[in-house]
Each structure stands twice: as C-alpha cells, then as structure tokens.
Amino acid sequence: MNPTRILVVEDENIVAMDIERGLHHLGYTVVGRASRGEDALELAAKHRPDLVLMDIRLKGAWDGVETAEQIRRQYAIPVVFLTAYADEPTLERAKRAAPYGYLLKPFEETELHSVIEVALNQHAATRSAQAESQEALRQSEERLQQFINSVRDHALYMLDPAGNVLTWNDGAEHITGYTAAEIIGQHFAIFYPAADRQSGLPELALRTAVQQGQFDREGWRVKRDGTLFFADDTLATLRDSQGQVVGFGTVTRDISDRKRSADQLKESELRFRSIFEQAAVGVAYVTLEGRFALVNQRFADILGRTRDEVQQCSFVNLTHPDDLAADLQLTHQLLAGEINTYTLEKRYLRRDGTPIWINLTGSLVRNDDGSPRHFVAVVEEIAQRKAAEEQLRQWQSELEKRVQERTLELEVANRELESFSYSVSHDLRSPLRGISCYVRILEEDYAKVLDAEGRRLLDIVGGEAKRMGRLIDDLLAFSRLGREQMNRAVVDMNVLVQTTYHQLTHTLSTPVPNLILHPLPRALGDPAMLRQVLANLLGNALKFSQHQPDPHIEVGGSQDAGELIFYVKDNGVGFDGRFIHKLFGVFQRLHAEEEFEGTGVGLALVKRVITKHGGRVWAESQPNQGATFFFTLPQFEKSSDEQPH
C-alpha cells in the first residue's frame, strides 16, 4: 500500500519543516511545502496529494480559507486546518471551506496522526457513498425508462402545470392513435368528449389533483380517429422539493374490452410474482392466526432459514420475546381498524438463536366486505444501521464529556482574560502616562534647545503614545463586549442616529457633512451596544469623506423577510471590494495610518455587536465612489406599552 501523500501549506518555514519531520516520522510522504496560497494551488494541481495540511494565515493575496476553498472546488482534495487561531470569526470563515479537521497549534504527533487518519477515512467514506448513490440512481433511472418504454397496455405521459402534454410513451400511442409528434404540446382535454370539455371536467381533474394529490376517474375518452373508448384514468400531481407543482403524471388504461381487462389482470399478477420473488426486501403473507403462509427468498435469507422452515412457523415463534408485546399490540390495532399500517423495529430469531434486527412494515388486506383476509409483512434488515446507531450514541456520550471539559477550560480562559484586561488597563497605561508626561516636559522645558527635527520626532512620540492609548481602549472594549450581558429594550433608531451624529460632530472645526436621515424602524436591542455600532459606522463615514468637496452621509432602513435592515452610506474614498473579507477583522485596515488614523478594531466591534444581536453585517464599495455599510437586526413583536429608548 502506497504511503499517504500530504501537501504542507505553512507561512513559517521553521514550522513547516517541523511538521514535515513529524509527518515523515508517522510514515507519511510530503509532496511539497508552500507558504503562499497561489503556490499551494499549483502544487496541488501538480501532485494531487491525498491530503492538505493548511495554515489559515499565509503569505500572498490568499489566506488559508480561500486557498482551501479553491483546492476543494477544483481538485476535491480534503483539507485539515493547522492554526494557532481559534477565534469565532476565523472558525466561521474556516467552515466555508468544509474542512475535514481543525487542529490548534501547538499539537502532539499523536493528535496530528489522529486528525489525519479521521480526515482520510471520512473523505474515503464520502467518496464511496457518493459513487454508490450515483450508480444506484443511474440504475434506477435506467430501469424506470426501460419499464416505461416496455409498457404497451398503459398510456403513461406527463403534463405541464397547465395541462399540456410533455411526454408520450408507446402505450399512449397504441391506445389513443396519436404519435408523440402529433400530441406533445396539445392540451390533454383533447382526449375528453365535447360534453365533458364543456362541463369543465379536464379543469376539475387538474384542480382535484392539486388539492388532493391525485385524481381518479373512469369515463369515456376520444381516440385520434374520433372513436370512443372507456378508460381508467389516474392523474397524479408532481411537486418539487419546495412543494411547488411542476406538472402531472397520467396513467390511462383502456378497459373497454373485459377480456383484455382479464388478460391485463393476469399480466399484473405475473409482474407482482416477479417483483415478489426478486424484491430486495423480505416480503411475507401472514395468516390471521399469525402463520407465515408465503415468504420470498429474501425473507428466508434474513432469518437464516429455508422458506419451508419459515412457512411452518408463526411470527410469534420467530420474534424475540422482548419485542413480541409491541408487535401483538399493533397487530390488534390493525384488526380493529384503528390503523391501516404500522412500522416497527424488532428482532427476529435466526435458526441458531441469534437475534437479527429488522424494520417491519405490517399491513392488513381486507375482503370486499371489509373483513380481514391476511397480513402483509415487508422486512428490511437493519443490523448494520443499529450497530452504527450504537456507535453514534457512544460518540455522543464522548462528545458531551468533551464539551463539559471544554466548558471548564473556557471558564478558566475567561477568568484569565479578565485578569489580562485588568493588567492591560493598569500596567500598560502607567508607562504610557509616563511617556506622555516626559513629552510634555521636553516640550515645555527643552523646546528652545531642540531643532525642527527634534521637535518633529517629539511630536511623533507623543502621537504614538496617544494612538497606543486608543488602541488599548479599543481592545478592552472589544474584549469586554464578548462577556457583557445584553439589556434589550425598544430603541428609537432615528433618535439614536441623531444624538450619536451630534456627539461626533459638535466639536468639529471643519464644516459638518450633511446628514440625510430617512425614517428608520424601531429595533429591539441593547441601546448602549447599538450606540457603539452607529458611533463606529458614522465615525468612519465622517473620517473617510472629510476631504470631499461636498461630503454627505446617508442613513436609512427597511423591513424585509423577518429582519430589519439598516445602512450608513458616504461619498468618501471607498475601498477595493476584493479585500472586503478582511474588513471586519481585528487590526485589518484597508488604508494606511498616514492617510486616515484608526486602530483597526472599530469594524470588528461592529460585527461582534450585531452578531450578538442575531444579525448580519456587510459592506459594498468601489475606490473613490464612497462606501455603504449594512447591518440587520431581527424583527420583534411590537407592544403598545413599550417605550423606546
């Protein structure tokens, strides 16, 4: 057996070499290493590895998620992410690539080996299942088409939703005299006598089929040459996966000649016998006393007995004692007319006494007068499925245990994060205050001895200290937001926009951009958090449109599909839409600090707030054409006694 071939994609060369060494130690073959997504795609095309180990942060234009999506889409190669990042936005983006595993650095070789083997087995199982499903579908369609083409005594054809003929089989031509070329596109009312057409019977048939799923009627029909024949029609409604009507399937049988009806009945019995004997499931006729009167070969095979042995037994004798009471109760309900059919998972006993799990579908055949005649049992072996379910239960138990462990770890991490936040707030601010203080001393006491270059450098130091302070504030706000409890209330978004805009602009020395505020729907959310969202979006709009000759900002909102949609639009410098995926990440900036100040945390905070409210956030822009930021909030039931904030 050839060793598994693996491609390593890692932006740090020393880490990539260490991973490669571990893979060789585990017996895998490394076909190549890459630090850029573009190079990884070329190596994947060249070597077609069995698996790709992918870091999320890469060099070049593509990150690991984008590269993984390209590799999966073009070459269907499984990808396992190896990364030191486990934040929620990264995990959410990683899901888009449908990875076969996710392993956090640092990790042990045993962990890496387990993740690789699980991914390879899962990928192999998926490919096998897909191949089997496609082959089964192809064979089923082929058998169906052969069956339809072989039928001569039934007219089998399809109609569009308006009742026009779409398909036509040989049986339909044989019965009606119309060829496919003559009839396709014609309305099926052409088969009805004039009186039935005038009374609206064809339209009634379509309406009834739509309402009830099927329309059955015996009556006179018209052949191509104008002669009448008495037909048994069945019109069944065909729907798509959304329940929309896509057409109708029609079966028409000529029953004018009773002898022909008898011949057709005999053929039907022969076909049934063939289906009975060749069925992939076990089928049995059971007497009212519970004895197996007739079973097919598959039924006997499931029980590990001969057909004669089974037909000498009662189902009571062959049923596991623990399952007998439930089976008898359902049988009594059938006889009493309380149910028409039932399905039961139970165990039969094989000849050697070992139990075998089966899925039983039982029904009762009645005589014309309604009296019971015999039972029909359809049996499918489900031993493998039961074993899989037991395995799944064990996995679920293990998963619950791991969730509890992870929860405890998360609680510890949160406490550590709170301690870290305090440290940042206290310990990091102290040296910043010292730097700022020394800068003021130098400005006040030594300004005369400093030349222009010295004063410029001093200004840079002071500005960077202030920027570090803002960055600490933003990081603390971003960190606290994940732990803060939401205090939901009805919020007047019009008032919130106006007050926030006033707070942002009342101290501006430059002309205040014109605010175009459209009527906004009220929202349900945390007023303080929503104020943060608007402060960041409006602040960005002010910042990036400040150099425009006629700056203006537009805010609007609407309701659609169960959610409230708001937007903030400006006519500023905009941004390149190719990098929109980086927009809401922490420290992700699309403009240089020299152009526009900022910490790169504001939009990440916006996304976290809106996500916490159960909404979405996105943006649209082109360079030098302004930008529009959208966010949504869930709709809510309005109450007359609720006062907006």
Side-chain angles (χ1 to χ4, degrees):
M1 184 181 215
N2 293 328
T4 300
R5 304 164 63 252
I6 297 178
L7 171 63
V8 178
V9 185
E10 168 62 53
D11 63 334
E12 295 184 19
N13 188 53
I14 187 66
V15 176
M17 292 173 62
D18 186 61
I19 293 173
E20 182 176 0
R21 180 195 59 76
L23 291 173
H24 283 306
H25 183 261
L26 292 171
Y28 301 114
T29 297
V30 177
V31 300
R33 300 198 313 262
S35 60
R36 300 170 67 252
E38 297 87 341
D39 298 336
L41 191 63
E42 291 182 3
L43 290 174
K46 179 179 179 181
H47 298 291
R48 299 298 173 93
D50 302 309
L51 182 72
V52 178
L53 298 180
M54 179 75 67
D55 192 5
I56 291 183
R57 298 294 175 90
L58 300 177
K59 299 175 182 178
W62 294 350
D63 66 6
V65 175
E66 295 167 308
T67 306
E69 289 179 328
Q70 291 291 335
I71 291 175
R72 176 177 58 84
R73 186 180 303 112
Q74 295 185 32
Y75 308 115
I77 299 173
V79 175
V80 170
F81 284 126
L82 305 180
T83 180
Y85 299 92
D87 55 283
E88 183 176 342
T90 300
L91 291 175
E92 287 299 320
R93 289 191 59 242
K95 290 179 182 177
R96 296 187 333 210
Y100 279 75
Y102 196 103
L103 189 58
L104 292 178
K105 302 174 184 175
F107 47 80
E108 300 294 334
E109 281 189 2
T110 56
E111 294 176 295
L112 179 61
H113 182 257
S114 298
V115 169
I116 290 175
E117 290 303 309
V118 169
L120 292 172
N121 290 336
Q122 182 181 356
H123 182 60
T126 300
R127 291 174 63 92
S128 176
Q130 290 174 345
E132 291 175 2
S133 176
Q134 291 174 356
E135 178 60 20
L137 178 60
R138 185 193 65 78
Q139 293 179 2
S140 176
E141 291 175 345
E142 181 176 323
R143 289 194 297 269
L144 177 61
Q145 190 60 47
Q146 291 174 351
F147 169 75
I148 291 175
N149 290 336
S150 66
V151 173
R152 290 278 295 170
D153 55 352
H154 287 71
L156 304 176
Y157 56 97
M158 293 180 61
L159 308 175
D160 66 16
N164 300 309
V165 177
L166 290 176
T167 65
W168 198 245
N169 77 329
D170 294 342
E173 179 176 348
H174 174 71
I175 293 173
T176 67
Y178 287 100
T179 65
E182 293 171 330
I183 198 62
I184 290 179
Q186 297 284 339
H187 196 276
F188 86 116
I190 194 173
F191 305 127
Y192 286 78
D196 288 342
R197 293 200 301 270
Q198 293 172 1
S199 67
L201 182 57
E203 291 75 16
L204 174 64
L206 295 178
R207 288 197 304 271
T208 303
V210 170
Q211 295 169 0
Q212 302 180 7
Q214 185 168 305
F215 177 83
D216 299 299
R217 178 68 64 91
E218 294 181 357
W220 292 105
R221 300 293 180 263
V222 182
K223 293 186 178 183
R224 181 180 182 278
D225 61 6
T227 60
L228 298 178
F229 68 101
F230 202 73
D232 179 7
D233 277 349
T234 296
L235 186 68
T237 306
L238 305 177
R239 299 179 183 273
D240 60 18
S241 58
Q242 284 75 42
Q244 299 297 315
V245 175
V246 296
F248 303 90
T250 303
V251 180
T252 299
R253 183 163 59 101
D254 183 356
I255 57 174
S256 301
D257 190 339
R258 293 301 172 180
K259 184 179 183 303
R260 182 184 304 169
S261 297
D263 292 341
Q264 290 173 342
L265 178 59
K266 183 178 180 180
E267 290 181 15
S268 177
E269 291 175 347
L270 291 174
R271 286 196 298 272
F272 169 76
R273 170 62 65 177
S274 175
I275 294 173
F276 179 81
E277 295 297 340
Q278 300 177 22
V281 295
V283 183
Y285 284 170
V286 184
T287 67
L288 298 179
E289 295 75 27
R291 184 178 58 82
F292 291 106
L294 181 65
V295 300
N296 68 351
Q297 186 59 47
R298 178 56 182 156
F299 194 99
D301 292 341
I302 291 174
L303 270 67
R305 302 171 183 265
T306 67
R307 296 170 72 168
D308 289 340
E309 288 175 340
V310 175
Q311 289 168 184
Q312 293 173 6
C313 297
S314 165
F315 82 91
V316 174
N317 305 127
L318 298 183
T319 298
H320 192 283
D322 294 343
D323 302 332
L324 184 57
D327 204 352
L328 288 173
Q329 181 182 357
L330 291 168
T331 301
H332 292 154
Q333 288 180 282
L334 276 180
L335 290 169
E338 298 174 3
I339 56 176
N340 295 322
T341 184
Y342 71 87
T343 300
L344 175 67
E345 292 185 358
K346 57 176 280 189
R347 287 161 291 181
Y348 276 137
L349 298 176
R350 293 177 179 267
R351 179 191 297 165
D352 59 7
T354 58
I356 179 70
W357 275 103
I358 57 96
N359 183 74
L360 167 67
T361 300
S363 60
L364 178 64
V365 177
R366 295 182 180 272
N367 297 310
D368 293 340
D369 61 0
S371 60
R373 186 172 183 177
H374 58 76
F375 298 103
V376 175
V378 178
V379 171
E380 178 185 6
E381 182 180 349
I382 58 171
Q384 292 183 348
R385 197 194 80 195
K386 281 292 184 179
E389 289 175 353
E390 178 60 28
Q391 182 66 55
L392 180 60
R393 279 192 291 270
Q394 294 178 5
W395 288 344
Q396 288 174 335
S397 176
E398 179 66 22
L399 180 60
E400 291 175 359
K401 180 180 177 181
R402 292 186 180 182
V403 168
Q404 292 176 354
E405 294 173 351
R406 295 297 186 188
T407 301
L408 292 176
E409 293 174 359
L410 182 60
E411 292 175 354
V412 172
N414 282 336
R415 289 194 295 269
E416 292 176 350
L417 182 60
E418 291 176 0
S419 175
F420 173 75
S421 298
Y422 174 80
S423 174
V424 169
S425 177
H426 181 271
D427 297 343
L428 293 186
R429 290 182 189 277
S430 295
L432 284 179
R433 284 193 296 268
I435 293 172
S436 298
C437 181
Y438 282 121
V439 168
R440 285 196 302 272
I441 291 173
L442 289 173
E443 290 175 340
E444 294 173 358
D445 298 344
Y446 297 92
K448 294 181 180 180
V449 300
L450 293 175
D451 58 9
E453 177 63 14
R455 288 192 294 273
R456 185 184 71 82
L457 295 176
L458 191 62
D459 290 340
I460 292 175
V461 172
E464 289 300 304
K466 292 178 181 178
R467 192 168 76 89
M468 186 62 182
R470 291 195 301 270
L471 181 59
I472 292 173
D473 291 340
D474 288 348
L475 282 175
L476 288 174
F478 186 79
S479 174
R480 285 194 299 268
L481 183 61
R483 306 188 303 276
E484 287 183 359
Q485 296 295 322
M486 291 180 56
N487 298 313
R488 293 185 183 271
V490 177
V491 180
D492 188 330
M493 297 297 286
N494 296 282
V495 174
L496 191 60
V497 170
Q498 292 171 339
T499 56
T500 304
Y501 193 73
H502 175 71
Q503 292 171 355
L504 293 172
T505 59
H506 77 282
T507 59
L508 290 180
S509 59
T510 58
V512 177
N514 182 33
L515 175 64
I516 303 172
L517 177 59
H518 300 289
L520 303 177
R522 292 179 177 180
L524 181 65
D526 187 300
M529 291 184 181
L530 294 180
R531 186 183 300 275
Q532 285 183 299
V533 170
L534 290 173
N536 278 284
L537 295 181
L538 290 171
N540 280 354
L542 288 167
K543 177 169 58 178
F544 293 113
S545 62
Q546 61 183 321
H547 301 309
Q548 300 300 315
D550 180 26
H552 59 268
I553 299 172
E554 180 181 346
V555 181
S558 61
Q559 302 183 29
D560 181 56
E563 62 182 2
L564 307 176
I565 304 175
F566 301 91
Y567 68 87
V568 176
K569 181 179 181 181
D570 63 64
N571 65 337
V573 297
F575 57 85
D576 192 334
R578 292 178 301 171
F579 306 107
I580 197 169
H581 60 278
K582 299 182 177 180
L583 201 60
F584 296 98
V586 180
F587 303 135
Q588 297 293 330
R589 294 174 50 85
L590 302 186
H591 298 280
E593 175 72 20
E594 295 76 11
E595 297 180 279
F596 299 98
E597 65 177 13
T599 62
V601 178
L603 289 180
L605 186 144
V606 168
K607 182 175 182 180
R608 175 167 285 192
V609 170
I610 296 303
T611 301
K612 196 166 187 176
H613 279 73
R616 302 175 291 122
V617 60
W618 71 96
E620 298 176 357
S621 179
Q622 292 293 332
N624 301 316
Q625 296 184 21
T628 304
F629 285 81
F630 299 86
F631 66 91
T632 69
L633 295 172
Q635 283 188 350
F636 66 99
E637 295 292 334
K638 297 182 176 63
S639 176
S640 59
D641 58 351
E642 289 179 324
Q643 298 298 320
H645 286 239

